[in-house]
Amino acid sequence: MSITNTPTSNDACLSIVHSLMCHRQGGESETFAKRAIESLVKKLKEKKDELDSLITAITTNGAHPSKCVTIQRTLDGRLQVAGRKGFPHVIYARLWRWPDLHKNELKHVKYCQFAFDLKCDSVCVNPYHYERVVSPGIDLSGLTLSGSGPSGLMVKDEYDYEGQQPLPSNEGHMQTIQHPPARPVAQEPFNTPAMLPPAEGSSSASTSAFSSIAVGSTNATSTWTRNSNFTPTVPHHQNGHLQHHPPMAHPAHYWPVHNEIAFQPPISNHPAPEYWCSIAYFEMDVQVGETFKVPSSCPIVTVDGYVDPSGGDRFCLGQLSNVHRTEAIERARLHIGKGVQLECKGEGDVWVRCLSDHAVFVQSYYLDREAGRAPGDAVHKIYPSAYIKVFDLRQCHRQMQQQAATAQAAAAAQAAAVAGNIPGPGSVGGIAPAISLSAAAGIGVDDLRRLCILRMSFVKGWGPDYPRQSIKETPCWIEIHLHRALQLLDEVLHTMPIADPTPLD
């Protein structure tokens, strides 16, 4: 090693790794950092000029100009280190510059000839050849709303923030949409004041798409079909939290206001349910333990991996035993940790805060709609520290009313079509119209009940981006039944009865 204690490419790998380890930022474990640095140094041992450039860049904190430091690009663009996969330039930028970096926040400098985004056969991993661009709270850049452009939201690695190489988005295919924690950013000029509904607080076109929904217009009609002209609402940052809309507030006739301005009456005068939600825990497709009910007097509940059996405002999954539990499930349960916090606001809106060190994956029709997706068309990856709204009671109520009315009208129209009572070209005995109406007429109570349910998987995701195609294939997950929404659904079903079935002979 040289007199100045700064190694060169001629020194032993061990000495170089030891020196570079001294400059890591501490975001990763020492074991992972050492493995990543060792792997890089070995790859560069035959390219001494690039190894010297790396040493110079890291030991001087980028004070001196340095060349590209390249490794071979893999087929999927990702590098595997200690059993984890991630984009190589992001891995090393985290190690030596920004430990809390998200993959969408890197932009290469102009003089970098082998930057990751340039798609060369070699990839530059010099951390000082990239600049950090602070990301907004939610990345919607990859949503193919106009039918063009690649999706940047495909996620493969469940223990990290990384995703696989972006793939073209196929219409109608489920995707994983990322919701990283919001970071403080400069106030956008079009931000909606937190105390006003979007229709009053902003004239932005991006919020006008949902203005009728936000103020709860009884004349609003909503559809779940994908719309190529849809513009998702711009997320708002309030106290460092991600918000799709300002929190809804309601008069305290039956419901707590949570220190917000009450500008909407309750949807129903029916008294609040005794429990605002019930939570069932599953391992694969088997429910484990009893359903946990959360009293309406306890608007915030934590679901974690610990063992306190006393209940109250905590549902501890660590205390639950399962004689059929596999080693894979046990490993996943170890990562639940502090879990998630569920918060009921107003009459029945629900927010989630990820307290775990690992992401959780959520099935939420509300988030699907906010992202311009069809219901059930996406899985939402909620990153550690993120705080996000996952259920809107008024939106759910409108949707259940619309679906119930559509099903009733379709059933009546289908019966008329089969009887041949619908004239018109292309109608042969009413058979063609009957087929086209069958899907709408087939909407049942179970379909409507799904609107009132949230599902959430710990650590492991599902869908086309993962080996698991269904949440029932994930090792540990919960199903949350929202009682106020179920109350409203019961009212809808009573006020809009399905036509009397034909008596059986």
Side-chain angles (χ1 to χ4, degrees):
M1 188 175 290
S2 62
I3 298 176
T4 60
N5 291 329
T6 299
T8 69
S9 58
N10 294 319
D11 287 307
C13 284
L14 188 62
S15 298
I16 298 172
V17 170
H18 177 75
S19 176
L20 296 178
M21 281 285 289
C22 294
H23 293 271
R24 66 189 182 94
Q25 295 298 308
E28 299 285 1
S29 68
E30 183 175 352
T31 301
F32 179 85
K34 188 174 182 180
R35 293 278 293 275
I37 295 173
E38 283 177 345
S39 172
L40 180 58
V41 170
K42 288 177 182 177
K43 287 183 173 73
L44 298 176
K45 206 55 175 143
E46 301 303 318
K47 298 188 284 186
K48 293 184 179 297
D49 57 334
E50 293 189 19
L51 182 53
D52 281 326
S53 288
L54 175 68
I55 295 169
T56 298
I58 302 306
T59 57
T60 65
N61 295 325
H64 298 296
S66 53
K67 301 178 181 178
C68 285
V69 177
T70 62
I71 60 174
Q72 187 70 28
R73 180 187 289 271
T74 60
L75 288 176
D76 68 353
R78 297 185 298 159
L79 177 68
Q80 181 161 328
V81 177
R84 290 166 48 184
K85 275 193 170 185
F87 293 134
H89 63 310
V90 178
I91 290 176
Y92 293 107
R94 281 191 191 144
L95 278 180
W96 285 309
R97 296 195 71 182
W98 306 288
D100 61 342
L101 179 72
H102 184 265
K103 71 181 181 68
N104 292 327
E105 295 177 345
L106 281 186
K107 177 183 178 182
H108 65 271
V109 295
K110 293 181 179 179
Y111 52 82
C112 183
Q113 298 178 335
F114 298 94
F116 181 84
D117 293 337
L118 298 181
K119 303 294 196 298
C120 301
D121 290 338
S122 296
V123 178
C124 179
V125 295
N126 186 337
Y128 293 94
H129 278 204
Y130 295 89
E131 297 172 342
R132 185 175 188 177
V133 180
V134 177
S135 170
I138 178 173
D139 177 17
L140 292 174
S141 61
L143 290 178
T144 313
L145 301 174
S146 60
S148 62
S151 170
L153 304 173
M154 309 290 279
V155 178
K156 198 79 170 180
D157 186 3
E158 294 142 281
Y159 290 100
D160 198 6
Y161 279 19
E162 297 309 322
Q164 67 183 42
Q165 183 73 3
L167 299 173
S169 172
N170 294 321
E171 189 78 12
H173 284 197
M174 180 184 288
Q175 289 186 356
T176 304
I177 297 178
Q178 300 180 40
H179 301 264
R183 297 184 178 90
V185 295
Q187 189 79 357
E188 295 94 337
F190 47 82
N191 265 6
T192 304
M195 295 297 105
L196 291 177
E200 296 173 19
S202 172
S203 59
S204 168
S206 62
T207 57
S208 64
F210 283 116
S211 59
S212 61
I213 294 172
V215 299
S217 169
T218 55
N219 296 322
T221 57
S222 55
T223 65
W224 285 94
T225 56
R226 187 173 311 193
N227 184 346
S228 62
N229 296 321
F230 172 82
T231 303
T233 55
V234 178
H236 301 137
H237 296 80
Q238 183 70 22
N239 299 327
H241 296 151
L242 174 64
Q243 299 187 11
H244 287 267
H245 289 300
M248 295 292 183
H250 306 277
H253 181 60
Y254 291 109
W255 312 100
V257 180
H258 299 287
N259 297 321
E260 295 165 2
I261 296 176
F263 59 86
Q264 290 180 325
I267 297 173
S268 168
N269 289 326
H270 197 286
E274 182 180 0
Y275 303 96
W276 72 265
C277 77
S278 55
I279 307 170
Y281 170 65
F282 294 83
E283 292 177 358
M284 308 294 280
D285 60 350
V286 177
Q287 181 173 348
V288 178
E290 297 181 358
T291 299
F292 185 88
K293 295 183 178 180
V294 185
S296 294
S297 59
C298 180
I300 299 178
V301 62
T302 301
V303 183
D304 59 39
Y306 302 129
V307 295
D308 187 348
S310 58
D313 63 349
R314 281 180 64 197
F315 183 20
C316 295
L317 306 179
Q319 61 164 323
L320 303 177
S321 59
N322 178 9
V323 294
H324 301 294
R325 183 171 294 151
T326 64
E327 184 179 348
I329 294 174
E330 191 61 62
R331 282 199 308 269
R333 280 167 53 87
L334 293 174
H335 292 283
I336 296 175
K338 295 179 181 179
V340 296
Q341 192 176 74
L342 306 173
E343 181 176 0
C344 180
K345 289 190 174 185
E347 189 174 354
D349 296 350
V350 179
W351 292 65
V352 167
R353 187 190 305 274
C354 182
L355 304 176
S356 174
D357 291 334
H358 300 285
V360 295
F361 298 79
V362 178
Q363 184 181 71
S364 162
Y365 288 178
Y366 170 76
L367 289 179
D368 290 344
R369 186 186 182 105
E370 290 294 277
R373 311 290 298 191
D377 197 29
V379 178
H380 301 268
K381 185 174 183 178
I382 312 297
Y383 284 104
S385 301
Y387 178 63
I388 187 169
K389 185 177 182 179
V390 294
F391 181 80
D392 185 287
L393 185 67
R394 290 181 181 274
Q395 183 189 91
C396 175
H397 184 238
R398 281 191 299 273
Q399 191 61 29
M400 63 177 67
Q401 285 180 316
Q402 181 187 2
Q403 287 196 11
T406 300
Q408 185 183 24
Q414 186 181 34
V418 170
N421 294 334
I422 299 181
S427 173
V428 181
I431 294 175
I435 294 173
S436 66
L437 291 166
S438 61
I443 297 173
V445 174
D446 283 344
D447 298 288
L448 296 170
R449 192 169 56 86
R450 290 190 189 100
L451 298 173
C452 312
I453 295 173
L454 296 169
R455 286 177 164 183
M456 184 180 306
S457 171
F458 295 96
V459 183
K460 296 289 185 179
W462 76 94
D465 306 338
Y466 299 95
R468 298 160 294 278
Q469 297 307 301
S470 164
I471 193 172
K472 293 184 179 181
E473 297 173 31
T474 62
C476 41
W477 58 281
I478 56 176
E479 185 172 83
I480 305 153
H481 290 244
L482 304 172
H483 291 196
R484 182 57 172 173
L486 289 167
Q487 268 188 346
L488 298 178
L489 174 58
D490 189 66
E491 290 184 4
V492 168
L493 293 175
H494 274 88
T495 56
M496 301 186 66
I498 303 298
D500 292 335
T502 304
L504 296 176
D505 294 332

